[in-house]
């Protein structure tokens, strides 16, 4: 068995061991899960520099011309994603030991984390779309279990169902796209598909439709407009779950899948345009909504949505034409580069928010916090590092990766560059707002007044992630999976000084605006109800559901009760009962009655015969 298969199977073994063996011992369950995550990380380290991409395969299903394999490969962007999943997964496991220390369902929680790790590594290591889709669905199941961990709360139970159902919409399109590619190319293996497209002879229209359908999967999993509504509600799960699922891994799976499919996007310009504009719209919309949220986790959730929009837009430029050829792999590398750096600073921010919530006795409203830089100096320092990286301040990692994403728009689409640049300003603004309200001023709630620094087991992951947020943007930290010492990502081809001046200026302007407008404030000074209520998009969905689902249900109920049940089923039963009742009345056991009926029958037969003779 190869090392890659061990990395894949270890979390599954951990989940089974917890559920079937040690679930009655929460401490042992946590140690099994954390140990599994640690082993996966240690086993992954040698693979990060391996030369051989293939890691073995075996046939899972063969029917006619359809042959599906469980095959693993560790190459290219998968190396970076494997590091993200195993490292961030391990740090979240360690943080959870402190955060979930007193949770009654601790064993179930850690079993869910192990199942999620199994599902996510399956996506990363898959060498074909069919296998990726299997683990894609397992990630959906895992997220359902983890988001709804505190299912006793109605809001958590509803959030888990919402996430599961919304993702099924996108996954239905993903499945159709896989079938279209298989029907057109005769394979779903990534390497084989790329080879056949390079040979030409494909149907360009079909490739566009297939890529749009494949993109539907990313729209659901990476929470792009219009299927973005599940991600903010998913913050009902434990905060470490938010860091693992909704900052570094699960939602990044859609971007990773698109990056793997960049060779299809490169030959599908119409689909590429759809990807670009959906990503840009998501980035802008989510940033606007983040400016008015009061829940610390929802601010970070919308921030994640916005940054995912950047990544999707960047990968969409793989189909843009530059210099007579598609941008292709460079766009995929740039989008994934931002995914890679984002995993560090956003996981840092989510775990930092978890430390804040834990210290404030599970208070999540930023307007009931304040002054925490004095009582939680280590958490505040790491959180501010993550904020600076997200805002795009040099030389932190977010600056370099956001630079690469916006460089694509600068060279290929000025309108989308303007959208991305304005979103960068909003990002710096709403994150400064969060930091000023939470860490500065005086405590505004009982939880903030009694807050104190969290335990070392929760601080250690913050230190590691803060280091990653600082160095992940330098070539030595990412060149090993992108190649070329950073030459494989996008850089502005012209006006670089102007470009960098604009980006740094927007970040500083956003920070200044956030500080000046929110320092010493006790409540939201500029309430915008439409943004605070998420532009009523959730309410619009409820109307759509009521109109379509409820109307269809009413028609179906009416047809069932009146036609099927009333006329066909019960009607035929009533007819049989009526005829039976009539005939039963003739079977009374009276000899005179039988004689009368016999005579009546004879008369009827004579009548028929005489009529026929005439």
């Amino acid at each position: 068995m190869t090392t890659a298969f061990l990395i894949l199977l270890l979390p599954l073994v951990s989940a089974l061991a917890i559920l079937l063996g040690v679930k009655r011992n929460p401490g042992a369950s946590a140690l099994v899960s954390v140990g599994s995550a640690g082993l996966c990380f240690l086993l992954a380290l040698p693979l990060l520099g391996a030369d051989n991409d293939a890691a073995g395969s075996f046939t899972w299903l063969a029917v006619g011309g359809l042959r599906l394999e469980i095959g693993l490969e560790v190459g290219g962007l998968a190396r970076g994603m494997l590091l993200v999943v195993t490292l961030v997964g391990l740090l979240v496991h360690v943080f959870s030991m402190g955060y979930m220390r007193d949770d009654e369902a601790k064993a179930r929680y850690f079993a869910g984390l192990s199942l999620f790790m199994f599902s996510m590594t399956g996506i990363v290591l898959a060498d074909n779309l069919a296998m990726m889709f299997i683990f894609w669905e397992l990630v959906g199941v895992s997220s359902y279990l983890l988001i709804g961990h505190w299912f006793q709360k109605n809001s958590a139970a509803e959030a888990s169902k919402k996430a599961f159902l919304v993702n099924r919409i996108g996954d239905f399109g993903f499945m159709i796209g896989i079938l279209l590619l298989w029907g057109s190319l005769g394979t779903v293996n990534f390497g084989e598909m790329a080879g056949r497209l390079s040979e030409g002879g494909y149907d360009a229209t079909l490739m566009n439709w297939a890529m749009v359908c494949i993109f539907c999967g990313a729209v659901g999993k990476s929470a792009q407009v219009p299927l973005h509504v599940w991600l903010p509600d998913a913050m009902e799960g434990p905060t470490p779950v938010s860091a693992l699922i909704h900052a570094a891994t699960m939602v990044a799976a859609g971007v990773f899948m698109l990056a793997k499919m960049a060779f299809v996007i490169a030959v599908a310009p119409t689909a590429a345009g759809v990807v670009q504009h959906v990503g840009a719209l998501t980035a802008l919309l989510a940033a606007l909504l983040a400016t008015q949220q009061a829940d610390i986790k929802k601010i970070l959730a919308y921030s994640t949505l916005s940054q995912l929009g950047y990544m999707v837009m960047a990968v969409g430029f793989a189909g843009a034409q530059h210099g007579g050829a598609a941008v292709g792999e460079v766009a995929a590398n740039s989008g994934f580069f931002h995914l890679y750096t984002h995993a560090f600073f956003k996981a840092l921010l989510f775990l930092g928010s978890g430390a804040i919530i834990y210290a404030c006795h599970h208070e999540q409203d930023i307007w009931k916090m304040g002054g925490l830089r004095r009582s939680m100096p280590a958490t505040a320092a790491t959180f501010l590092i993550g904020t600076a990286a997200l805002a795009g301040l040099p030389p932190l990692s977010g600056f370099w990766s956001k630079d690469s994403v916006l460089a694509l728009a600068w060279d290929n689409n000025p309108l989308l560059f303007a959208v991305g640049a304005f979103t960068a300003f909003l990002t710096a603004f709403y994150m400064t707002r969060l930091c000023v309200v939470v860490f500065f001023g005086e405590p505004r709630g009982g939880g903030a007044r009694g807050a104190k620094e969290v335990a070392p087991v929760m601080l250690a992951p913050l230190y590691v992630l803060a280091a990653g947020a600082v160095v992940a943007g330098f070539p030595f930290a990412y060149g090993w999976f992108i190649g070329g010492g950073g030459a494989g990502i996008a850089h502005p081809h012209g006006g670089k000084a102007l470009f960098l001046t604009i980006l740094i200026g927007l970040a500083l302007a956003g920070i200044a605006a956030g500080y000046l407008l929110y320092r010493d404030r006790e409540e939201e000074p500029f309430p915008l109800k439409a943004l605070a209520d998420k532009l009523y998009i959730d309410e619009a969905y409820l109307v759509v559901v009521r109109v379509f689902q409820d109307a269809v249900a009413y028609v179906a109920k009416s047809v069932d009760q009146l036609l099927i049940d009333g006329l066909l089923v019960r009607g035929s039963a009533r007819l049989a009962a009526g005829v039976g009742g009539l005939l039963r009345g003739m079977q009374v056991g009276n000899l005179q009655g039988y004689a009368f009926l016999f005579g009546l029958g004879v008369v009827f037969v004579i009548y028929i015969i005489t009529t026929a003779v005439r």
Side-chain angles (χ1 to χ4, degrees):
M1 181 179 291
T2 65
T3 303
F5 271 106
L6 281 176
I7 295 172
L8 175 63
L9 294 178
L10 267 175
L12 177 61
V13 172
S14 169
L16 293 175
I18 293 171
L19 294 175
L20 301 179
V22 296
K23 65 180 179 181
R24 296 185 183 278
N25 188 330
S29 299
L31 289 176
V32 168
S33 185
V34 173
S36 168
L39 281 174
C40 285
F41 174 65
L42 293 175
L43 289 171
L45 290 177
L47 292 181
L48 302 181
D51 295 327
N52 186 10
D53 292 346
S57 65
F58 62 89
T59 300
W60 177 59
L61 177 67
V63 180
L66 177 62
R67 183 184 181 89
L68 301 180
E69 292 189 345
I70 299 297
L72 309 185
E73 64 178 8
V74 185
L77 301 183
R79 301 179 196 274
M81 195 66 181
L82 187 62
L83 176 65
V84 167
V85 172
T86 55
L87 176 58
V88 175
L90 172 60
L91 295 176
V92 168
H93 275 73
V94 173
F95 186 90
S96 296
M97 293 183 72
Y99 192 88
M100 304 295 289
R101 180 180 57 190
D102 301 321
D103 192 85
E104 295 179 354
K106 187 176 179 179
R108 174 165 54 84
Y109 171 82
F110 278 98
L113 283 185
S114 291
L115 181 61
F116 178 84
M117 290 288 288
F118 166 68
S119 308
M120 196 64 212
T121 52
I123 289 178
V124 174
L125 297 173
D127 72 348
N128 64 84
L129 277 174
M131 178 182 169
M132 178 178 280
F133 185 76
I134 293 170
F135 285 96
W136 190 273
E137 295 304 302
L138 282 173
V139 165
V141 173
S142 306
S143 65
Y144 171 79
L145 296 173
L146 290 170
I147 294 168
H149 175 73
W150 290 321
F151 60 86
Q152 300 90 342
K153 293 195 307 178
N154 185 62
S155 57
E158 292 298 323
S160 63
K161 288 190 291 184
K162 184 176 183 179
F164 189 82
L165 293 173
V166 171
N167 271 276
R168 298 293 73 72
I169 297 172
D171 293 351
F172 181 71
F174 188 15
M175 182 173 61
I176 293 174
I178 294 172
L179 293 174
L180 287 174
L181 287 175
W182 176 70
S184 175
L185 303 176
T187 181
V188 290
N189 180 277
F190 294 119
E192 293 175 359
M193 287 191 295
R196 295 182 187 183
L197 286 175
S198 66
E199 296 171 359
Y202 54 84
D203 186 325
T205 301
L206 185 59
M207 286 300 104
N208 278 299
W209 278 110
M211 194 59 236
V212 168
C213 290
I214 291 288
F215 179 54
C216 287
V219 170
K221 198 70 74 186
S222 293
Q224 300 294 286
V225 172
L227 300 183
H228 66 286
V229 292
W230 69 270
L231 186 61
D233 290 353
M235 298 301 107
E236 290 291 339
T239 303
V241 169
S242 302
L244 179 64
I245 298 180
H246 306 115
T249 54
M250 175 182 166
V251 294
V255 178
F256 174 71
M257 181 269 289
L258 288 177
K260 294 271 284 188
M261 298 295 292
F263 58 86
V264 180
I265 299 176
V267 299
T270 302
V274 172
V275 175
Q276 295 163 26
H277 288 83
V278 168
L281 177 60
T282 302
L284 177 59
L285 177 65
L288 287 170
L289 297 180
T291 61
Q292 286 289 303
Q293 301 305 308
D295 186 316
I296 187 172
K297 288 174 67 177
K298 289 194 175 181
I299 295 172
L300 296 179
Y302 279 113
S303 173
T304 299
L305 280 174
S306 184
Q307 300 307 304
L308 289 168
Y310 272 128
M311 301 171 205
V312 168
M313 178 179 71
V315 179
F317 280 114
Q321 297 293 316
H322 192 81
V327 177
E329 186 179 357
V330 170
N333 288 343
S334 297
F336 186 83
F337 180 34
H338 195 48
L339 182 158
Y340 175 75
T341 61
H342 177 264
F344 290 101
F345 56 75
K346 187 53 65 66
L348 168 62
L349 291 171
F350 264 110
L351 291 184
S353 72
I356 293 166
I357 293 167
Y358 185 86
C360 293
H361 308 291
H362 295 278
E363 178 60 65
Q364 295 184 197
D365 190 337
I366 62 173
W367 294 106
K368 295 180 181 178
M369 299 177 185
L372 293 182
R373 78 183 190 282
R374 293 187 293 272
S375 55
M376 304 180 68
T379 299
T382 56
F383 198 96
L384 290 172
I385 290 173
T387 296
L390 175 58
L393 289 181
L396 303 180
S397 59
F399 169 75
W400 304 110
S401 58
K402 192 177 292 186
D403 174 345
S404 182
V405 170
L406 292 178
L408 288 166
W410 174 273
D411 291 331
N412 294 284
N413 192 317
L415 175 61
L416 295 188
F417 171 77
V419 171
F422 182 58
T423 301
F425 166 79
L426 291 176
T427 301
F429 172 76
Y430 66 68
M431 286 306 300
T432 303
R433 167 184 179 264
L434 186 157
C435 290
V436 168
V437 173
V438 170
F439 294 112
F440 295 88
E442 298 300 322
R444 290 178 292 276
R449 293 188 186 96
K452 60 182 181 179
E453 192 62 86
V454 293
V457 72
M458 298 172 71
L459 281 176
L462 300 185
Y463 294 144
V464 175
L465 290 169
V470 173
V471 305
F474 292 99
F476 72 85
Y478 68 84
W480 51 273
F481 66 86
I482 288 181
I489 61 174
H491 299 283
H493 286 83
K496 186 172 179 65
L498 175 61
F499 174 79
L500 294 177
T501 301
I502 291 173
L503 292 191
I504 297 173
L506 288 171
L508 294 175
I511 292 171
Y515 178 75
L516 293 174
L517 293 176
Y518 284 93
R519 63 176 179 174
D520 300 324
R521 298 287 187 177
E522 299 294 323
E523 59 182 14
E524 176 59 53
F526 310 102
L528 298 173
K529 185 171 174 55
L531 293 180
D533 291 337
K534 301 173 283 188
L535 294 179
Y536 310 107
I537 295 174
D538 286 274
E539 288 76 7
Y541 268 107
L542 290 176
V543 172
V544 171
V545 170
R546 191 175 299 114
V547 170
F548 289 96
Q549 176 181 286
D550 294 355
V552 171
Y554 178 78
V555 172
K557 178 182 177 182
S558 301
V559 171
D560 179 64
Q561 290 182 338
L562 298 177
L563 179 61
I564 298 175
D565 193 37
L567 183 60
L568 298 179
V569 178
R570 296 184 184 273
S572 59
R574 284 193 293 267
L575 177 62
V579 173
L582 179 62
L583 296 176
R584 186 169 57 250
M586 299 179 183
Q587 304 293 323
V588 295
N590 187 299
L591 184 60
Q592 291 178 333
Y594 291 157
F596 173 75
L597 289 174
F598 178 77
L600 188 63
V602 171
V603 172
F604 180 70
V605 170
I606 293 172
Y607 171 76
I608 293 297
I609 293 173
T610 55
T611 301
V613 171
R614 291 177 184 174

